[in-house]
Amino acid sequence: MKRPGPLLTLLAGLLLAVFMLTLNATTGTKNASSSPQEPSPSATPQASPPPTSTPPSSSPPPPSKSAPPNADYAGRTDDNSSAVAVSLRGGKAIAYFCDGRSKESWLKGDVDDDGTMKLTGKNGAELNGTLKNGRSIRGTVDLGGQRYAFTADKAVKPSGLYRATATVRGAKIDGGWIVLPGGKQVGILDRDGKPTAAPTIDPETGTVTVDGQTLTASPVTP
């Protein structure tokens, strides 16, 4: 029996090498295809920037206004027929128009920060005035179909506006007085709706005698 020749041995070795190469190639491809893929990194959400706040205004606030100071004013109409007195307190005003005989009116209302005022009374009476530098009030009074221009200067006690109400001998008494600078008085005393010239009051004490009875007239404020 003859031994295989060198050629046969070489052929067997070549076949074995081809087999091994084929096996390695197949195994590498399978491993590569079955290896897990690394997950792609997820996108990180971007935080939105905080809203930009509007800086506060650097302009100063407007100056606050205040009501005209408390004071009393008294004077006469331009035609010198009547007197007018006005009392201011806390942005409110009360006024009295009087001719010393039969015509009178009490008026009241607000005073604006700029010193202007519109006061109203019975039967459509109206006073429109403006405070001038805290020293006087210039304006008009509309009463009984007539208009009276007036100037009332700042009053120093005992000048000013006074009033007394009472019942004397069954009659209802309502008296109003304007004490002008210099001491002159203009007033009306109303007895049960009948106006007459008022008797003189003592401006230091406010006392006045009406039909034998002593009354006290007090300063008038709003």
Side-chain angles (χ1 to χ4, degrees):
M1 184 175 191
K2 293 183 181 180
R3 294 180 178 179
L7 182 59
L8 183 58
T9 300
L10 179 61
L11 180 60
L14 181 60
L15 291 174
L16 179 60
V18 171
F19 175 74
M20 292 302 293
L21 289 173
T22 303
L23 181 62
N24 288 339
T26 304
T27 302
T29 303
K30 182 177 181 182
N31 289 339
S33 61
S34 61
S35 62
Q37 296 181 354
E38 295 183 2
S40 60
S42 60
T44 303
Q46 297 292 327
S48 58
T52 303
S53 60
T54 303
S57 174
S58 59
S59 58
S64 58
K65 295 182 178 181
S66 58
N70 299 340
D72 299 312
Y73 299 84
R76 300 192 67 88
T77 57
D78 290 358
D79 62 5
N80 204 34
S81 67
S82 307
V84 179
V86 184
S87 176
L88 306 183
R89 297 292 187 278
K92 303 287 185 180
I94 186 168
Y96 183 54
F97 171 93
C98 172
D99 68 355
R101 296 179 299 277
S102 60
K103 190 177 293 186
E104 66 174 348
S105 180
W106 291 93
L107 311 101
K108 60 183 178 179
D110 296 328
V111 183
D112 293 336
D113 292 339
D114 62 359
T116 59
M117 64 192 77
K118 180 178 180 179
L119 314 182
T120 57
K122 293 181 179 180
N123 302 318
E126 184 173 296
L127 182 152
N128 290 278
T130 303
L131 180 61
K132 303 289 187 180
N133 300 319
R135 293 180 293 188
S136 65
I137 296 174
R138 178 66 182 169
T140 59
V141 173
D142 292 289
L143 179 66
Q146 289 184 274
R147 172 167 292 182
Y148 303 84
F150 72 91
T151 299
D153 295 325
K154 191 172 184 179
V156 178
K157 287 186 177 181
S159 298
L161 177 58
Y162 297 83
R163 190 174 192 176
T165 57
T167 300
V168 177
R169 297 182 180 180
K172 184 178 179 181
I173 303 296
D174 187 0
W177 290 265
I178 298 173
V179 180
L180 297 166
K184 187 174 182 179
Q185 299 182 18
V186 181
I188 286 180
L189 189 71
D190 188 292
R191 290 181 177 87
D192 287 336
K194 297 178 181 179
T196 58
T200 301
I201 65 171
D202 182 346
E204 297 295 337
T205 63
T207 56
V208 59
T209 301
V210 177
D211 298 337
Q213 183 171 329
T214 300
L215 307 179
T216 300
S218 302
V220 179
T221 57

